[in-house]
């Protein structure tokens, strides 16, 4: 095994993650045409509605009954980073924030001391299929930040830094910088948009990075060296074959890498190769998790359940638990203070 690769793991629906990351799900659904009510124009018979994860006909309803997705549910003690490469998500939460985002946008939510949110996948097109591809990543919060005020942020695709490199043969490599800094061979640094204020990613010394890397056939790119002893995992989620510092790699692998070396990544297949990189300094604190709550001790977990039962983390003011924003809505974000924003 190459000195750059510490471990090789297979990818299933839920991908292996390492401190400071808690969870990474890859949703890739070939949803059919919409039915005019943001649901699928297809029969739901044979599906376990409410728990539909089987992937019948290449798509899932998840916890949705009419519209695919995840109706209102609580979180405490960590952050969700949802990157939508294709398709749309309708967000609503107990802070009063809402949005429709997709086609490259990222929604970053700090749950902190507690929030409810829903994440539905509206099938907006009635005249064509509605494929969706997204990552949901859970980034832990340190003990000092677990009870901060919740925060909702939208990182629009149009404002997210993208690095394009074309080699002498015309092969293209692209790096989308969702979090962190990317250092080019020239020394130039491309910095991501600012994460929420209490995020572990907000402290430069933690070197949190979330990058999406696309390589044309025969193209290559470089993972620049970072500090030593960071968690650094590369997920090969689309394509055929590649190389990392000369060692062959294949699709549906997670590659745990050393963090303090520059690594050459090549696409040796005949199709585009796509990768997700997650990197960060471990928080290195005890983790106690039960479902949507992530704390440091069992007592804190018990308190989280007690608080939710008593306060509902601010309650739910939306008409529906599976709140959607209509068939005519474009991409938008409405923040808890009432401010409305659309991509520029």
């Amino acid at each position: 095994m190459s000195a750059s690769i510490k471990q090789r793991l297979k990818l299933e629906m839920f991908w292996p993650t390492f401190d400071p990351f808690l969870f990474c799900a890859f949703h890739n659904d070939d949803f059919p045409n919409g039915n005019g009510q943001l649901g699928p124009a297809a029969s739901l018979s044979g599906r376990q509605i409410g728990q539909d994860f089987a992937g019948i006909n290449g798509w899932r309803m998840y916890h949705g009954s009419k519209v695919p997705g995840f109706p209102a549910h609580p979180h405490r003690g960590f952050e969700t980073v949802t990157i939508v490469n294709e398709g749309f998500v309708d967000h609503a939460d107990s802070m009063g924030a809402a949005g429709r985002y997709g086609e490259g946008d990222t929604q970053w939510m700090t749950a902190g001391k507690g929030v409810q949110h829903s994440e539905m996948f509206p099938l907006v097109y009635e005249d064509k299929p509605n494929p969706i591809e997204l990552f949901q990543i859970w980034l832990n919060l340190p003990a000092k930040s677990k009870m901060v005020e919740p925060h909702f942020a939208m990182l629009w695709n149009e404002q997210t830094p993208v690095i394009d490199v074309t080699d002498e043969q015309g092969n293209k490599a692209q790096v989308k910088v969702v979090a962190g800094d990317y250092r080019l061979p020239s020394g130039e640094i491309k910095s991501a948009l600012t994460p929420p204020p209490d995020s572990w990613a907000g402290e430069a010394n933690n070197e949190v990075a979330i990058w999406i890397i696309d390589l044309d056939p025969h193209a290559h790119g470089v993972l620049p060296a970072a500090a030593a002893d960071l968690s650094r995992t590369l997920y090969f989620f689309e394509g055929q074959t590649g190389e990392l510092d000369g060692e062959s790699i294949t699709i549906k692998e997670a590659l745990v890498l050393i963090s303090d070396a520059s690594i050459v990544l090549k696409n040796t297949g005949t199709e585009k190769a796509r990768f997700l990189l997650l990197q960060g300094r471990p928080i290195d604190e005890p983790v106690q998790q039960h479902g949507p709550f992530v704390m440091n001790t069992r007592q804190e977990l018990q308190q989280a359940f007690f608080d939710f039962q008593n306060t509902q983390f601010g309650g739910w003011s939306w008409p529906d638990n599976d709140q959607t924003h209509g068939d005519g809505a474009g991409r938008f974000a409405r923040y808890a203070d009432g401010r409305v924003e659309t991509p520029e």
Side-chain angles (χ1 to χ4, degrees):
M1 186 178 294
S2 165
S4 303
I5 303 174
K6 297 165 64 177
Q7 192 175 8
R8 300 175 69 149
L9 301 165
K10 289 186 177 181
L11 293 186
E12 304 295 342
M13 182 176 174
F14 304 112
W15 294 355
T17 54
F18 304 91
D19 185 9
F21 299 97
L22 299 162
F23 172 87
C24 182
F26 179 52
H27 298 284
N28 187 12
D29 289 282
D30 291 322
F31 289 117
N33 295 27
N35 61 6
Q37 299 176 317
L38 303 180
S43 172
L44 300 182
S45 64
R47 295 178 180 270
Q48 189 176 348
I49 297 302
Q51 292 282 347
D52 177 26
F53 287 79
I56 298 170
N57 296 328
W59 53 276
R60 305 158 184 82
M61 289 294 288
Y62 298 103
H63 296 312
S65 58
K66 297 178 180 178
V67 177
F70 297 84
H73 56 281
H75 291 304
R76 172 180 276 186
F78 64 99
E79 300 184 286
T80 60
V81 183
T82 307
I83 307 167
V84 184
N85 297 324
E86 186 177 18
F88 298 95
V89 173
D90 276 359
H91 168 94
D93 66 39
S94 56
M95 295 179 278
R100 173 169 289 172
Y101 62 101
E103 304 297 350
D105 300 327
T106 298
Q107 188 250 321
W108 195 315
M109 189 186 74
T110 306
K113 68 181 183 181
V115 67
Q116 290 191 68
H117 73 155
S118 64
E119 305 158 289
M120 307 307 298
F121 306 156
L123 308 187
V124 299
Y125 301 117
E126 298 175 48
D127 59 346
K128 62 180 181 179
N130 290 268
I132 191 166
E133 180 186 280
L134 67 84
F135 307 110
Q136 181 159 100
I137 300 158
W138 290 12
L139 175 60
N140 202 7
L141 287 166
K144 67 177 183 178
S145 303
K146 285 199 176 291
M147 296 296 286
V148 298
E149 290 295 324
H151 187 88
F152 166 86
M154 194 73 80
L155 311 181
W156 299 114
N157 179 58
E158 291 82 352
Q159 299 166 8
T160 301
V162 174
I163 300 157
D164 289 298
V165 178
T166 302
D167 66 20
E168 294 177 353
Q169 287 73 43
N171 304 314
K172 295 180 180 179
Q174 183 182 86
V175 181
K176 184 171 186 175
V177 186
V178 176
D181 296 332
Y182 185 92
R183 183 182 294 274
L184 284 80
S186 65
E188 181 185 1
I189 295 175
K190 293 285 188 179
S191 297
L193 299 172
T194 303
D198 295 295
S199 177
W200 187 247
E203 300 178 30
N205 186 56
N206 294 333
E207 297 195 48
V208 172
I210 302 174
W211 304 335
I212 299 172
I213 303 165
D214 290 357
L215 300 179
D216 278 359
H218 313 299
H220 70 276
V222 176
L223 303 179
D229 301 321
L230 305 179
S231 293
R232 186 181 237 195
T233 308
L234 184 71
Y235 303 89
F236 189 177
F237 68 92
E238 186 176 307
Q240 297 168 318
T241 59
E243 289 181 357
L244 265 177
D245 276 357
E247 179 166 342
S248 295
I249 58 175
T250 57
I251 187 176
K252 295 188 178 179
E253 279 195 291
L255 302 131
V256 182
L257 308 176
I258 62 172
S259 59
D260 57 346
S262 177
I263 300 172
V264 177
L265 175 62
K266 292 183 179 181
N267 178 6
T268 59
T270 58
E271 300 175 2
K272 178 185 284 188
R274 306 185 69 206
F275 305 84
L276 173 72
L277 180 130
L278 298 182
Q279 172 188 286
R281 187 172 302 284
I283 295 173
D284 197 24
E285 293 179 352
V287 173
Q288 290 289 331
Q289 178 176 354
H290 193 286
F293 304 141
V294 182
M295 304 303 290
N296 295 104
T297 68
R298 296 297 298 175
Q299 183 178 3
E300 290 169 343
L301 273 184
Q302 292 169 355
Q303 187 66 47
F305 279 100
F306 178 83
D307 291 346
F308 178 63
Q309 289 170 355
N310 282 274
T311 71
Q312 297 296 296
F313 292 162
W316 191 255
S317 62
W318 302 96
D320 302 302
N321 282 340
D322 57 351
Q323 182 67 30
T324 54
H325 303 311
D327 58 5
R331 293 153 60 215
F332 75 95
R334 184 166 75 230
Y335 295 91
D337 61 5
R339 178 171 52 94
V340 177
E341 179 181 88
T342 56
E344 297 179 358

